[in-house]
Every structure is written in C-alpha cells, then in structure tokens.
Amino acid sequence: MAVLNLYSAEQARTIDRIAIEQAGVPGILLMKRAAFSAFQHLRAHWPQAQRIAVVCGVGNNGGDGFALAQYATLAGLQVDVLQVGPTHKIRGDALTMLHEMADLGLSGLPFDTNTLAEADVIVDALLGTGLDRPVEGAYRDSIEAINASGRPVLALDIPSGLSADTGQVLGSAVKAHLTTTFIVPKVGLYMEQGRECAGKIVCENLGVPLHTLAMQTPVARGLRWQDCVLPPRPAHAHKGRCGTALLIGGDALAGAIALTAEAALHAGAGLTQVVTRAEHRTALLCRNPALMVYDTLSPDRIEAASAIGIGPGLGQNDWGRQLLRQILHRDTPRVLDADALNLLAQTAMRADNWILTPHPGEAARLLGCSVAEVQADRIQAVRKLQQRYGGVIVLKGAGTLIDDGEHVDLCLHGNAGMATGGMGDVLTGILTALIAQGLPLPEAARSGVCLHAAAADLAAAQHGTRGLDPTQLLAPMQHLLN
C-alpha cells in the first residue's frame, strides 16, 4: 500500500536539524532551495504574474520570503517586500537573506493593503510551522488583509496562522490557493481547516537525505482510494461465498438503516439482512426488494452473519439496548455507529473485533470530554479511543482518521458535501459489507473510508457539494469498486 507519510511540526524541525548537523546540509542552502522551489511553483501556477507582494515575518519563514524575492527580482518580476514585525528581531539565515535582498536593491516596506491590491500574486511568508498560540496584533491584521485582498496566494511551508499539527486555525489564518511545504508534509495541512486553508499542496524535499526522514516515525499516513487494493471477486463466486451483512437499527426512524442496507448491498455483500421494527419492513422492501428484512434478531441469524453493523437509527431505548446487548460479546466482527456508540459510552467494554465509527460528538461521549477537546487534537483523540476501546477506530471528519493500534491513517479524499445526515450511515454499510466479504478489520476500515470519500468526491464533481444526497454516492462507489 502506497502512503503519504505525514509529520508533526516538531518532527519537521528535528529532520531539518539532523540534515544540517549530521548530514552536512547548510541551513542557508535549505532556505535557498525552499525559496527557489516555491518560486518555480509560483511561475508554473501563475505564468502571467508580473508583480508579486511577498509578506514576510521575522523568523525563518520570513527568510524564505526574502530569498524568494531575490529569485523573482532576478527573473524580471516587480517585487514588493512587505515587512511585518520589527526587523531587529531577524536573526541567522533569515538575516543573511535580508542582507542579500538589500544588495539587489530591495528593501522591506511597511505593510500596506494598497500594495496587496496591486499584486498579481501574494506570497505568504509570515509565520511558518512553529506557531502554537493564537495570532494577534499586526500579524492577525496582515492575515486578514491578505484574505480580503482577493488576490491569489502562495503560502510558504504552511498558511500563516494554521496549526501544522492539528489543522486548526489559531485565531486567524491565510487562505492560500497553493501551499509549497518543505522537506516533509505536515499533517495539519490535510485535516480539518487545513484542507481549506492550504489549497493545492506540493511538497519539496529540498535534497534532504532520505535516511534523515527514516529517523522519525510519521504521526499519520495519508491514504487515497487508489492506494487500497481489494481482492478480485472470483468468476465462480456465489452469494454464499460473498458474505452475509447483518444490519441492525431503525427504531423510530427507518431512513438511517435503509441507507446503511443499500450501501452494504452496493458494496458487494452477498446477502444483506436487516433487523428493524416491524412497521419499517414494507418501506425498506419497497426501496429495494433485494434486502432481507426481519423484525426479530434470532441467535441463528447472528451465527449466520459474516459481519454485523449496528447503530443507525437504533435509538437508546430498551429496544435498542436489548439488540446491542445480544451482539456485544459475540465473536462476529462488528461495526458500531451512531446510537450503538452512545450506548457503548455508558460501559467500559473493550474488544478487538470491532470497528467504531464516531463523529466528534460521539467521540467526546466515548472519551468523557468536550467536542472542542476532541477537535483540538484529533490524532490524540483517535489514539485515546483505540487504547480505551480496542479494535479499529474511525474518527470521522474533514480528514477522517483510522487507528488500528499500530498506525494512524488519514483519508485524503472528502468534501463539504459530506456534511449532511446519512453519510455516516452509508459508511457503516460499506464497512460491514467489506468485512463480510473477508477483509480484515484494519483493511476494511482503510478501504471503506477511502471508498466512501472518493465516491463522495465523484458525486460532488457531478452534482456540487451543496445538497449532496447520500444515495448519490452509491453509483460512483460501485464504479470505483469495479
């Protein structure tokens, strides 16, 4: 499986330091390489640009900006360097770049919004990856002016104001059209608000020896659907060999379990069985007569199941509690979602043969904390969930995370159209169907999450993100599977 290794800001700084101190790559050379590679991407992305505004801070990110200003000047572009922060705080390689820039006749100008408006492209070289507190004062004013300018933005290493570790906006953050990140990809670029702020992301290694990267274990692995490999379905396959997906839910509302069942059917389960309230049977069968719908959960039905998915529309009343109790201690692999998770939060149970699929609210209940705490560090949250509950955890969100106890994986697909009721029910059906067809839980979780989000991207490309219907994922999902 090909993956994109993702790193924290601290790991990136460690790799940078090792490259300088042990591999003998001078820091100033890395700064110049970073600036040159970013300038090449600027020229490729905006070939008609003739005037650029480079907004620089006082740290090494500003040094990258000073160096880029030199390359742009030598290439014949008109360059305005806007300085934010006192120049007496500029040190080390960044100061050298400032002096070299001055030798070309360039000097930093006070920040000015009119200069931004005249630029064809704005280069964000304000803050870099070391930010760990909300942006304030002149830096925040500059970020908000950049965003209000309406000009395209190239961010160096990371959009200023964005946490490189969590993808959270720290007070205010630049919304870039293109981010050129250096040496290693930072995990915060790929999740939560980082997905919106970063725009298109390119990573430049800058010639750092690969063995220095191997000294750090990535905090997460970025996955795409094309990285997942499912076994082909044999030509002699029959429904009995393709697994039985048993889906349980639908107390007061039948819609959630109906979506789950149709997703399981379209994801290739040989048999799709549903246990729901008797009054919902007709509605489900009218939607799809291929479903096998029951109003009781017998021991034989549990024994015959290859995989069980429970939770969509389950409710938290006695009916749902009793159904969950019947399958909690079974050896059959299970997917728990929605109200099954809310009920599980009231227990201290741990198991190795399940996938739990919480959204941030359900994760907060499972951990006994606030949603804000979950979202403040999603990687830490998914690790805590796995340690407490075992199995495989799928923490849904912008950049869904999967933790199997060995690796944390991050789905690189997905879009804002998935922010609608029913999307999680579809995912539960996909996961249950893949497990029923014989995939081990970690592979089913990784493949199912990527399949679900990649199908949503295809659906959004056709229909748009606003008002995307979960059922619109079924056809592109089936196309991707085949």
Side-chain angles (χ1 to χ4, degrees):
M1 177 179 289
V3 297
L4 175 69
N5 290 329
L6 304 174
Y7 298 82
S8 69
E10 180 60 34
Q11 288 179 314
R13 286 190 289 271
T14 299
I15 292 169
D16 187 84
R17 186 176 65 252
I18 292 172
I20 295 169
E21 296 176 357
Q22 298 183 21
V25 183
I28 197 164
L29 180 58
L30 291 175
M31 185 172 285
K32 289 185 175 184
R33 288 176 179 175
F36 183 69
S37 64
F39 179 64
Q40 287 182 310
H41 285 292
L42 187 154
R43 294 295 272 166
H45 208 71
W46 297 285
Q48 304 304 317
Q50 293 299 312
R51 182 171 183 176
I52 66 171
V54 187
V55 186
C56 297
V58 298
N60 280 344
N61 199 240
D64 296 337
F66 298 146
L68 185 145
Q70 297 177 57
Y71 291 119
T73 298
L74 292 171
L77 274 63
Q78 183 176 347
V79 181
D80 296 303
V81 179
L82 303 182
Q83 181 64 52
V84 180
T87 55
H88 70 266
K89 290 188 176 182
I90 301 173
R91 298 283 190 273
D93 294 335
L95 183 60
T96 301
M97 290 297 97
L98 180 64
H99 289 158
E100 289 188 4
M101 188 182 76
D103 291 340
L104 285 177
L106 285 173
S107 59
L109 304 172
F111 186 85
D112 177 55
T113 56
N114 293 326
T115 304
L116 294 182
E118 295 170 354
D120 297 318
V121 178
I122 297 171
V123 178
D124 165 29
L126 270 171
L127 292 172
T129 62
L131 188 67
D132 59 2
R133 61 185 183 276
V135 181
E136 298 175 343
Y139 287 98
R140 181 166 187 149
D141 293 342
S142 301
I143 288 171
E144 293 177 354
I146 290 171
N147 290 339
S149 70
R151 313 311 298 159
V153 178
L154 166 65
L156 302 187
D157 210 10
I158 194 166
S160 294
L162 184 73
S163 168
D165 294 338
T166 69
Q168 295 292 311
V169 169
L170 299 176
S172 185
V174 167
K175 291 185 177 179
H177 298 77
L178 173 67
T179 297
T180 304
T181 195
F182 306 128
I183 302 181
V184 291
K186 286 75 180 177
V187 66
L189 293 170
Y190 297 88
M191 62 180 181
E192 288 302 296
Q193 293 153 297
R195 295 164 68 96
E196 180 180 5
C197 291
K200 180 181 178 182
I201 303 167
V202 292
C203 182
E204 292 290 345
N205 172 263
L206 309 184
V208 170
L210 294 180
H211 73 268
T212 62
L213 275 63
M215 298 172 72
Q216 297 291 314
T217 301
V219 295
R221 308 182 304 180
L223 296 182
R224 301 176 181 87
W225 166 244
Q226 54 265 40
D227 300 327
C228 304
V229 180
L230 301 184
R233 178 164 285 192
H236 62 282
H238 57 78
K239 62 185 179 184
R241 294 189 61 179
C242 294
T244 297
L246 174 61
L247 304 165
I248 305 167
D251 183 4
L253 301 174
I257 199 63
L259 286 170
T260 303
E262 287 204 78
L265 186 66
H266 284 79
L271 294 171
T272 303
Q273 300 182 345
V274 183
V275 173
T276 188
R277 289 286 197 180
E279 56 265 33
H280 301 325
R281 292 185 65 209
T282 301
L284 265 69
L285 289 170
C286 286
R287 282 189 62 88
N288 198 314
L291 302 176
M292 305 167 69
V293 187
Y294 308 95
D295 59 11
T296 59
L297 181 60
S298 66
D300 289 346
R301 197 157 289 130
I302 296 173
E303 291 295 331
S306 309
I308 299 171
I310 184 168
L314 183 70
Q316 299 183 52
N317 298 319
D318 289 343
W319 183 80
R321 290 177 183 275
Q322 184 267 336
L323 289 170
L324 180 62
R325 196 176 300 119
Q326 283 183 258
I327 64 96
L328 266 186
H329 298 281
R330 294 281 181 166
D331 293 332
T332 308
R334 296 147 298 169
V335 180
L336 273 64
D337 184 32
D339 281 324
L341 296 173
N342 293 326
L343 293 171
L344 181 66
Q346 302 169 23
T347 75
M349 185 173 173
R350 176 187 169 90
D352 294 326
N353 63 335
W354 60 24
I355 298 176
L356 309 184
T357 64
H359 58 53
E362 292 156 350
R365 285 187 281 277
L366 288 165
L367 291 174
C369 67
S370 68
V371 174
E373 288 175 292
V374 171
Q375 294 296 81
D377 193 340
R378 286 170 53 82
I379 289 179
Q380 184 66 18
V382 77
R383 286 173 171 161
K384 287 182 178 178
L385 286 165
Q386 202 286 325
Q387 291 165 4
R388 182 173 300 184
Y389 291 96
V392 182
I393 307 298
V394 173
L395 179 55
K396 295 182 287 195
T400 291
L401 298 171
I402 306 112
D403 189 343
D404 64 0
E406 293 187 17
H407 303 285
V408 175
D409 296 299
L410 187 154
C411 178
L412 298 175
H413 300 290
N415 60 79
M418 300 176 75
T420 188
M423 288 291 178
D425 304 318
V426 170
L427 177 61
T428 297
I430 293 171
L431 295 174
T432 309
L434 293 180
I435 298 168
Q437 292 170 79
L439 265 68
L441 266 61
E443 290 183 30
R446 290 190 283 264
S447 299
V449 167
C450 289
L451 172 63
H452 178 245
D457 287 345
L458 291 179
Q462 182 177 359
H463 303 288
T465 57
R466 196 180 298 273
L468 196 64
D469 184 332
T471 61
Q472 291 174 313
L473 272 61
L474 300 180
M477 177 187 75
Q478 192 173 10
H479 169 73
L480 290 170
L481 274 169
N482 289 286

